[in-house]
Amino acid sequence: MHWIAVFLIGLVIGLLARALTPGHGPRGIILTALLGIAGSIVGTWAGQTLGWYAPGQPAGFIASVVGAMLLLLLHRILTRQS
């Protein structure tokens, strides 16, 4: 049950990141969820390491979305075709 919750939360974070980031990004539910999960890991790690918030605070959700947005932008830069 835990992995289903992780996937669903990652999907929500990935969808928010895709909606807030301009341009075209990767499509598909699985890739969006993986982007959200990875963004959550990056955002949580960065926020807690820098002391911006403690575990369990609502700022963690915002940091997760920002982390997913950064990963989405990185994905777009790396996969850009000239």
Side-chain angles (χ1 to χ4, degrees), residues 2 5 10 14 16 20 22 24 26-27 29 33 52 65 69-70 74-75 77 79:
H2 172 72
L16 283 172
L20 294 173
H24 297 290
R27 301 291 182 211
I29 289 179
W52 292 342
V65 173
M69 289 173 66
L70 290 174
L74 181 65
H75 177 269
I77 290 170
T79 60

Side-chain angles (χ1 to χ4, degrees), residues 53-76:
Y53 62 90
Q57 288 184 322
F61 185 78
I62 296 168
S64 296
V65 173
V66 171
M69 289 173 66
L70 290 174
L71 290 178
L72 182 58
L73 289 172
L74 181 65
H75 177 269
R76 288 181 186 165

Side-chain angles (χ1 to χ4, degrees), residues 42-53:
V42 169
T44 301
W45 174 80
Q48 290 178 4
T49 300
L50 295 171
W52 292 342
Y53 62 90

